[in-house]
Amino acid sequence: MTWKINHIPIFIALISVLFYACSKDEVDDFKEVVDSDYELKDLSYYMAKGDGIDTVTIKLTGNELPNFGNTLSELQYEESFDELLLTSQFFVDDTVGYVPPDLPIEKYEVNVPKDLEIKGNPIYQNTKFRMSSELEEAPYKTGGSSVLTLKVKPYSKLILERYVDRYLLTCSFKADFVDKNTGKHIVVNGKWKGTMGYNGYQVLVQELPLK
């Protein structure tokens, strides 16, 4: 009996310590965690070392206009530019600054440059793109189609080949994000690559006899 009576306070004290420790852990687990909420405050584009404009000639969908008759024929061909696309890609430079994992920049839709003036002030495209490293595409609006009227000799056909120059811009960007909860600024630097526009459209016409 003496042994049991002497150790009852120790047993009770041990239970109390364990209960207090568990209760403290539970309180810590329920501390409020505030998620970061970033706002894009500023985005600028500029030309830096290695930036520039590349010109690529692309072949568009052509057409064939046959004349199966024995007299000269005038045939109309409606030109369409629906296959022309605007493109956009953002590449973050991880060596400059730090992008926290809770800042998903790819969810932000932004204006992209159509042209960079001498002072570095961009003229923007009408279409916005996500700040994504994946290739983003959107239709290039040309203002409509046009109709060509061509004369085709008897028992002949015209082969139409169409080409246009695409201008691709590579420039640098700097984006300033602010955490609304803390006021902390996160600056993201990198490169933007995309389509500025198209020019130099030409149609090559070849006349061949019908077989």
Side-chain angles (χ1 to χ4, degrees), residues 58-116:
I58 61 174
K59 186 177 182 179
L60 303 177
T61 302
N63 208 337
E64 183 176 308
L65 302 178
N67 179 11
F68 297 99
N70 57 5
T71 59
L72 184 67
S73 177
E74 289 190 351
L75 301 179
Q76 289 188 333
Y77 166 63
E78 183 177 0
E79 294 185 304
S80 174
F81 301 94
D82 293 342
E83 60 192 292
L84 298 183
L85 297 173
L86 289 175
T87 60
S88 173
Q89 279 183 291
F90 285 84
F91 300 95
V92 174
D93 186 356
D94 295 329
T95 63
V96 181
Y98 168 72
V99 182
D102 60 347
L103 174 53
I105 68 170
E106 66 276 1
K107 80 173 186 179
Y108 293 86
E109 289 190 349
V110 298
N111 292 312
V112 297
K114 180 179 181 180
D115 193 9
L116 291 178

Side-chain angles (χ1 to χ4, degrees), residues 34 37 66 69 112 139 166 207:
V34 179
D37 184 11
V112 297
R166 179 171 60 188
E207 185 180 81

